[in-house]
Amino acid sequence: MNRRFFLFFLAVGLFVIGSVKAQTKVKKEVSFDKKVEILLKKMTLEEKVGQLNQYNGFWDVTGPTPKEGLAAKKYEDLKKGLVGSMLNVKGVKDVRALQKIAVEQTRLGIPLLFGFDVIHGYKTISPIPLAESASWDMDAIQKSAEMAADEASSVGINWTFAPMVDVSRDARWGRVMEGAGEDSYLGSRIAVARVKGFQGDLSSNKNILACAKHFAGYAFAESGKDYNSVDLGESTLQNVVFPPFKASLDAGVRTFMNSFNELNGIPATGNPYLQREVLKGDWKFKGFVVSDWGSIQEMKAHGFAKDDKQAAEIAINAGSDMDMESSAYVDYLAQLVHEGKVKETTVDDAVRRILRVKFELGLFDNPYKYCDEARELATVGKQEFQNEVLDMAKKSIVLLKNNNDVLPLKKSGQKIALIGALANDKTSPLGSWRIAADENTAVSVLEGLQAYKDNQLTYAKGADVALGSPKFILETKINTTDKSGFEEAITTAKKADVVILVLGEYGLQSGEGRSRADLGLPGVQQELLEAIYKVNSNIVLVLNNGRPLAIPWAEEHIPAIVEAWQLGTQSGNAIAQVLYGDYNPSGKLPMTFPRNVAQVPIYYNYKSTGRPIMNEPDSVFWSHYIDEKNTPLYPFGFGLSYSKFEYSNLKLSSQSFSKNGKIEVSVLVKNSGKVKGKEVVQLYIRDLIASITRPVLELKGFEMIELKPNETKRVTFEINEKTIEFFTANRKWEAETGDFKVFIGGNSVETLKGEFQFVK
Ligand code: NOJ
């Protein structure tokens, strides 16, 4: 066949397949809607309310039937069809037992959704989300979510409360560990990767529902204190907070979770602007919104509802579809409908959304779709997952400093002193969201380094980070007194060629409810670092932490610093492979590191003030501190490699573009180092004059490239209207004409610059 004909037939064939697929999708959607309507018609008001009720399953599900107390009430409600979903039930045996009650003992047999916080892995733990984000590797992040979904789904879970897509600028807030950092563009890309990874093809039993949380503004808690009030203007909400949520929605996320905080005086859970106007109105979200844990009844403490009944009324009317653990809906919604305070059509809308998702998941066809004991046995903790989390862990590490080529370590003939309690900790690397992982299951740094046998390795603890192994870290549990191990550590360090100090935060020091007022090394660790430095300054500082730390002394004195976050089950192996150069680090910071906690919130995409800089010496009347620099310790996007990347020759295809047009901007990147390496090339812009002031820099693209020594590559980005759009003074997303600067580099500070215009 002639090539032209072949291509013609191929194109026709692909078109036909495409349109058949699209038609099937539409048909399926229609049929889901029809099925929902048929079922809805059969439901009593009480049964409808039941679908909106989510209970925490805390009792021994397969043990004796609970006879009294809360467990008994929940159990009875389940049998009456008054529960639509459970959370925190895990294991096929338990899930099956509860699903069986819902399906076989209730009048309509509607299956349950089983939700769980699969945040960074289920039992096989991947790096904390902030660490994964440092990889800037969307394929790896998607794969990590896929793996987590595979493992979690094998134990019966069909819904994860992830990804958390809150843009976070405040390192004091403990939950920065759970997000993608401070940038909306990077955060949106990562949100999409995670949603796709978890949800994939929902007809498969290896995929589960995802949940974009916490809608909205949760990360902007005043003073970085978890759950605190949030006051945010519309421009920041639209331009900074919303984009990752919108991106999740566009990627098909089926559920949203609202948040604990109030936003501009109205709790998010009872906020019609967020849930009805924006999410279900402007964005046309078809899935459902679950409240955060008890956040409906917490509106009483906010001073927004006088009792649970009023809280239920406010929440449902504002668009919260499912009540997580407040019992306010199950206890009061039917009554509220009878009293005319809530329309039954409002309840119907929430029920429709939930039932639709259950149909989509295939639970009506097979309620036990996720209940396969043999698969559970073969899946949980399997070797393939170990390999995947190791790969993700290596990609998440960020090399912050490497003077005098201290790293990579020589593989033989070296005396290495390994110091720090975290170096021998097999639990802390699992991070904060490890609710299904067993304690002591991470590979420690000590174990990781022991695999390199041709060096002499000596370990000394130095000092504990926390006293005991506390479940909740309170200030009183941090070791601020016990220095009894210092002497041994100092002696060990004296004899070594290189000292590796593993310092930072205890595993439960970040995460929900773990805000910190101090961002230094906790307890006596700073003292330990300085004491060791006095006897041997050839130090590699390996940081384990769930948030940016302020470590100016270390940056000034320590020759090599490696940011290793909390890297999950394979943590120690990943760190060892990076230290020895078997993996060339390529991570870049997704969040700015401050010099001083007082600089927080500090982020790269800040706005210029009217007095950004004063050139007259000794002037104080400009925006600065008189006792601290304005600049960060490490900027957003920063990270070194064992290779050396040089940027040159920034070129623009044209100086301007107009509507529907585009320009290309490119640079040459050369690896002038001695080893092959990966580099994340970053594109930023600045919109110079706009109807609402724009940040001094905005990330608009990035590409990861790999270069051999001496290899050069031209990296090209496209800039079009989408790139420069923002939520303008017209209260809509649009591109404004004017002058722009463009920057390309390996981080947000060291960049090559150009200029362009967007014209009418
Ligand atoms: C409260 C947290 O804020 C939320 O993120 C989590 O999913 C729920 N608890 C359920 O555990």
Side-chain angles (χ1 to χ4, degrees):
M1 199 192 310
N2 162 324
R3 192 161 170 266
R4 268 169 139 191
F5 273 119
F6 171 74
L7 288 175
F8 173 75
F9 285 122
L10 184 70
V12 172
L14 287 175
F15 175 76
V16 172
I17 294 174
S19 50
V20 169
K21 265 195 179 165
Q23 277 172 20
T24 324
K25 195 168 169 239
V26 173
K27 265 193 201 155
K28 262 192 184 165
E29 307 263 306
V30 174
S31 89
F32 289 143
D33 288 341
K34 270 194 191 147
K35 286 176 180 167
V36 167
E37 291 313 314
I38 294 168
L39 183 53
L40 193 67
K41 283 209 183 81
K42 295 185 192 156
M43 295 171 81
T44 63
L45 177 59
E46 283 66 26
E47 283 164 339
K48 289 177 187 172
V49 169
Q51 285 305 302
L52 315 187
N53 182 32
Q54 185 185 51
Y55 277 151
N56 180 38
F58 59 89
W59 70 94
D60 177 6
V61 171
T62 48
T65 308
K67 292 277 177 298
E68 53 192 29
L70 195 53
K73 175 183 183 314
K74 289 183 174 182
Y75 185 73
E76 284 310 309
D77 282 355
L78 191 59
K79 286 202 294 190
K80 287 187 221 148
L82 297 182
V83 182
S85 169
M86 302 286 303
L87 80 149
N88 292 337
V89 178
K90 58 183 194 316
V92 168
K93 206 167 143 214
D94 285 17
V95 169
R96 184 189 286 282
L98 293 180
Q99 192 70 298
K100 211 164 155 34
I101 298 174
V103 172
E104 292 179 12
Q105 298 189 34
T106 68
R107 192 180 74 92
L108 293 169
I110 302 175
L112 299 166
L113 289 174
F114 289 90
F116 201 86
D117 289 285
V118 185
I119 308 295
H120 49 113
Y122 173 72
K123 194 158 226 122
T124 313
I125 301 295
S126 350
I128 55 170
L130 185 66
E132 287 195 355
S133 306
S135 73
W136 295 53
D137 185 330
M138 299 307 115
D139 292 342
I141 292 174
Q142 181 168 335
K143 213 161 165 215
S144 168
E146 257 163 40
M147 183 215 84
D150 188 0
E151 195 177 49
S153 61
S154 80
V155 306
I157 292 160
N158 52 32
W159 178 19
T160 175
F161 303 126
M164 186 186 99
V165 301
D166 298 307
V167 168
S168 356
R169 294 172 161 178
D170 193 329
R172 292 170 299 181
W173 190 56
R175 292 195 86 166
V176 302
M177 55 78 55
E178 199 180 336
E182 73 191 32
D183 184 62
S184 309
Y185 176 81
L186 178 62
S188 299
R189 296 273 304 263
I190 291 174
V192 170
R194 291 196 166 126
V195 168
K196 282 189 183 163
F198 288 129
Q199 287 193 171
D201 167 13
L202 279 182
S203 65
S204 150
N205 67 352
K206 290 186 174 178
N207 288 112
I208 59 180
L209 298 170
C211 179
K213 69 187 188 183
H214 307 84
F215 199 59
Y218 182 42
F220 281 71
E222 269 176 18
S223 337
K225 208 164 54 170
D226 208 2
Y227 318 121
N228 210 0
S229 307
V230 175
D231 240 282
L232 270 183
E234 188 181 38
S235 175
T236 306
L237 257 185
Q238 289 280 356
N239 287 305
V240 179
V241 174
F242 286 166
F245 286 101
K246 179 64 168 50
S248 306
L249 187 147
D250 292 341
V253 77
R254 296 303 197 279
T255 74
F256 265 57
M257 185 185 291
N258 57 35
S259 51
F260 288 128
N261 56 287
E262 65 155 70
L263 176 70
N264 305 333
I266 300 181
T269 307
N271 198 314
Y273 163 72
L274 285 173
Q275 301 174 107
R276 292 237 178 259
E277 204 178 313
V278 176
L279 181 59
K280 294 175 179 175
D282 297 349
W283 297 355
K284 304 187 171 51
F285 176 57
K286 295 275 175 295
F288 71 87
V289 181
V290 62
S291 80
D292 202 343
W293 178 287
S295 68
I296 295 182
Q297 55 112 344
E298 284 183 14
M299 287 197 286
K300 292 179 298 183
H302 276 289
F304 199 67
K306 66 176 189 302
D307 50 26
D308 283 356
K309 185 174 168 191
Q310 194 189 11
E313 176 189 341
I314 292 172
I316 191 81
N317 284 332
S320 294
D321 301 310
M322 185 180 275
D323 172 1
M324 182 193 288
E325 208 34 34
S326 279
S327 291
Y329 282 3
V330 72
D331 290 346
Y332 298 107
L333 260 192
Q335 207 181 323
L336 286 161
V337 171
H338 293 310
E339 288 169 9
K341 291 192 172 131
V342 172
K343 289 193 192 121
E344 187 157 353
T345 50
T346 304
V347 174
D348 285 352
D349 174 62
V351 177
R352 269 192 196 99
R353 291 167 179 274
I354 292 164
L355 291 180
R356 195 174 196 284
V357 167
K358 292 184 176 182
F359 275 111
E360 274 190 274
L361 214 51
L363 291 180
F364 284 94
D365 297 331
N366 179 9
Y368 306 107
K369 179 180 160 192
Y370 297 93
C371 297
D372 175 347
E373 281 85 352
R375 181 177 160 228
E376 178 178 38
L377 205 66
T379 307
V380 176
K382 70 178 176 188
Q383 187 54 43
E384 191 188 319
F385 295 159
Q386 299 292 335
N387 301 343
E388 280 180 26
V389 294
L390 173 59
D391 183 58
M392 188 72 246
K394 289 189 281 194
K395 289 176 170 157
S396 305
I397 292 173
V398 185
L399 180 62
L400 293 176
K401 191 175 173 192
N402 192 18
N403 279 11
N404 325 324
D405 289 335
V406 176
L407 291 173
L409 300 171
K410 292 192 194 76
K411 287 200 173 146
S412 61
Q414 298 280 293
K415 282 192 217 121
I416 295 181
L418 177 65
I419 296 170
L422 291 172
N424 192 21
D425 188 336
K426 292 172 65 59
T427 301
S428 280
L430 301 174
S432 178
W433 275 118
R434 53 164 191 259
I435 40 186
D438 300 320
E439 305 273 299
N440 278 310
T441 51
V443 177
S444 69
V445 181
L446 176 59
E447 290 166 328
L449 289 175
Q450 276 164 347
Y452 292 83
K453 297 196 178 351
D454 297 335
N455 278 335
Q456 191 191 315
L457 180 70
T458 319
Y459 172 69
K461 178 167 77 175
D464 281 312
V465 182
L467 300 169
S469 50
K471 182 154 171 37
F472 294 108
I473 282 279
L474 305 169
E475 202 44 40
T476 49
K477 302 265 174 75
I478 294 295
N479 175 19
T480 51
T481 48
D482 182 6
K483 296 187 242 172
S484 55
F486 272 35
E487 213 174 293
E488 188 202 357
I490 291 167
T491 317
T492 311
K494 266 187 195 160
K495 295 185 219 146
D497 300 312
V498 191
V499 182
I500 301 173
L501 265 147
V502 183
L503 304 178
E505 296 182 326
Y506 186 79
L508 293 176
Q509 232 173 326
S510 53
E512 187 180 344
R514 276 83 166 192
S515 294
R516 287 185 66 199
D518 175 5
L519 293 178
L521 295 168
V524 296
Q525 295 180 96
Q526 179 67 33
E527 259 182 86
L528 175 65
L529 178 63
E530 293 182 28
I532 301 290
Y533 179 78
K534 276 193 190 135
V535 298
N536 188 343
S537 62
N538 201 27
I539 294 176
V540 178
L541 171 61
V542 176
L543 296 168
N544 279 186
N545 44 305
R547 52 156 69 77
L549 296 177
I551 46 160
W553 187 91
E555 163 57 23
E556 197 181 324
H557 296 90
I558 303 301
I561 306 179
V562 175
E563 177 50 78
W565 316 103
Q566 284 143 353
L567 292 175
T569 308
Q570 285 290 327
S571 174
N573 286 334
I575 293 169
Q577 289 181 29
V578 165
L579 296 183
Y580 273 105
D582 284 336
Y583 188 86
N584 187 358
S586 56
K588 301 275 185 180
L589 294 179
M591 216 176 157
T592 304
F593 274 45
R595 297 173 185 279
N596 186 319
V597 66
Q599 293 177 305
V600 167
I602 180 169
Y603 46 96
Y604 85 96
N605 48 352
Y606 61 90
K607 305 272 195 80
S608 173
T609 65
R611 296 184 174 198
I613 193 136
M614 192 63 88
N615 289 325
E616 294 151 37
D618 297 335
S619 173
V620 293
F621 302 112
W622 64 291
S623 184
H624 74 305
Y625 304 100
I626 55 170
D627 55 359
E628 183 56 275
K629 291 181 181 161
N630 276 1
T631 53
L633 192 65
Y634 301 113
F636 175 81
F638 177 77
L640 304 170
S641 156
Y642 298 145
S643 314
K644 196 169 174 306
F645 298 105
E646 284 172 12
Y647 287 71
S648 65
N649 204 293
L650 182 138
K651 270 207 254 171
L652 285 151
S653 60
S654 156
Q655 287 308 313
S656 66
F657 72 103
S658 53
K659 211 167 173 38
N660 300 323
K662 60 173 186 184
I663 51 175
E664 282 181 348
V665 54
S666 64
V667 285
L668 284 179
V669 187
K670 179 180 177 188
N671 179 357
S672 57
K674 294 193 185 79
V675 288
K676 187 169 81 171
K678 285 193 213 141
E679 168 74 337
V680 180
V681 183
Q682 302 159 39
L683 168 80
Y684 297 88
I685 63 159
R686 177 169 183 183
D687 185 344
L688 295 185
I689 310 289
S691 64
I692 288 180
T693 57
R694 305 300 301 137
V696 295
L697 219 55
E698 289 179 82
L699 181 72
K700 289 294 174 180
F702 57 87
E703 190 181 324
M704 185 181 284
I705 54 169
E706 186 167 45
L707 295 176
K708 293 191 211 91
N710 268 319
E711 192 182 345
T712 301
K713 196 175 171 186
R714 183 163 281 282
V715 178
T716 306
F717 296 99
E718 181 180 310
I719 293 179
N720 55 34
E721 265 180 88
K722 264 253 145 314
T723 322
I724 59 170
E725 262 186 359
F726 69 102
F727 192 79
T728 68
N730 288 331
R731 306 194 62 244
K732 62 176 189 198
W733 281 80
E734 59 185 342
E736 288 182 349
T737 53
D739 295 336
F740 293 80
K741 283 199 167 140
V742 58
F743 312 81
I744 301 185
N747 62 64
S748 59
V749 171
E750 294 156 300
T751 51
L752 298 178
K753 297 168 192 55
E755 283 165 13
F756 68 89
Q757 283 185 326
F758 176 57
V759 292
K760 273 230 164 84

